[in-house]
């Protein structure tokens, strides 16, 4: 049994969404400048998301704290879900909606940047992280899909992938993440 038609259909959908991403290039450029300025001034990047978005958040952080293309100094970045003891303690004691907000409260500083990933733009724990970042005087960048959900109005800049398909949105989020990492490496190192 061949799955070739299904494979080609998925890939065609990916290519269609990826092609529309060119419209986001000016905003991605602004995001790179925002993060670069924050890092040049001693700030860092905190990143959060759930499920596949958590994996993307951790992937982006790994590229910045390790290396992307070349050996260089590590850049200050933290995936807020990566400490499972903190995540589960906060979830148990305060509720899952607070897991990222408490981490922002602990690690965020004025001048830092929060990058919040949510394909719907409506994840309550991500929305609360944005509120906590605002309270700290942080810049907030959102990566969402379609219309950006509730996040769109709460972010300094929200990159909305023009799709309602979670897999296609996440594929484009990692493309955006890689683009940001590559440019930050060129600018800061």
């Amino acid at each position: 049994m061949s799955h070739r038609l299904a494979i080609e259909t998925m890939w065609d959908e990916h290519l269609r969404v990826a092609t529309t991403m060119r419209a986001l290039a000016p905003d991605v450029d602004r995001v790179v400048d925002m993060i670069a300025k924050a890092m040049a001034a001693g700030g860092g990047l905190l990143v959060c998301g759930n499920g596949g978005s958590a994996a993307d958040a951790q992937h982006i952080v790994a590229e910045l704290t390790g290396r992307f293309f070349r050996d260089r100094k590590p850049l200050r970045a933290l995936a807020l879900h990566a400490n499972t003891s903190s995540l589960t303690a906060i979830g148990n004691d305060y509720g899952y909606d607070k897991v990222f907000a408490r981490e922002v409260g602990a690690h965020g500083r004025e001048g830092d940047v929060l990058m919040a990933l949510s394909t719907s733009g409506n994840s309550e724990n991500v929305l609360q992280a944005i509120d906590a970042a605002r309270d700290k005087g942080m810049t907030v960048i959102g990566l969402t899909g379609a219309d950006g959900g509730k996040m769109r109005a709460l972010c300094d800049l929200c990159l909305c992938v023009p799709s309602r398909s979670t897999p296609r949105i996440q594929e484009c989020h990692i493309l955006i993440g890689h683009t940001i990492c590559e440019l930050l490496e060129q600018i800061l190192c």
Side-chain angles (χ1 to χ4, degrees):
M1 174 181 204
S2 174
H3 301 288
R4 184 171 175 181
L5 182 60
I7 292 166
E8 290 176 0
T9 299
M10 287 178 227
W11 287 1
D12 286 344
E13 182 185 6
H14 169 82
L15 291 171
R16 183 188 57 74
V17 174
T19 300
T20 66
M21 295 287 294
R22 286 185 179 275
L24 294 178
D27 285 339
V28 173
D29 189 36
R30 288 180 52 210
V31 165
V32 170
D33 284 344
M34 295 163 87
I35 298 170
K37 285 177 184 169
M39 287 183 166
L45 178 68
L46 281 64
V47 192
C48 66
N50 296 294
S53 295
D56 290 343
Q58 198 162 339
H59 183 155
I60 291 165
V61 166
E63 303 290 15
L64 296 173
T65 59
R67 69 180 187 144
F68 192 74
F69 273 120
R70 57 190 167 107
D71 288 328
R72 42 104 175 135
K73 67 179 183 176
L75 300 173
R76 191 164 79 85
L78 178 68
L80 297 181
H81 68 282
N83 182 334
T84 55
S85 294
S86 290
L87 183 77
T88 56
I90 294 165
N92 184 63
D93 294 346
Y94 297 97
Y96 192 69
D97 289 350
K98 301 285 185 200
V99 294
F100 300 138
R102 296 285 297 185
E103 290 286 329
V104 169
H107 301 293
R109 302 188 311 221
E110 184 174 353
D112 286 345
V113 176
L114 173 69
M115 181 182 288
L117 285 73
S118 170
T119 57
S120 70
N122 295 316
S123 298
E124 186 58 34
N125 58 356
V126 175
L127 295 171
Q128 289 195 28
I130 292 169
D131 289 341
R134 288 276 177 235
D135 290 344
K136 289 268 190 172
M138 296 170 61
T139 299
V140 178
I141 296 163
L143 272 70
T144 67
D147 61 7
K150 294 175 185 174
M151 280 177 52
R152 186 177 203 142
L154 302 176
C155 297
D156 292 293
L157 191 57
C158 192
L159 303 171
C160 304
V161 173
S163 176
R164 294 199 180 280
S165 168
T166 297
R168 303 300 86 85
I169 294 165
Q170 289 174 336
E171 290 159 7
C172 290
H173 282 178
I174 205 61
L175 173 62
I176 292 168
H178 275 169
T179 302
I180 291 167
C181 291
E182 184 170 349
L183 291 171
L184 289 174
E185 190 171 77
Q186 291 173 14
I187 294 166
L188 296 170
C189 304

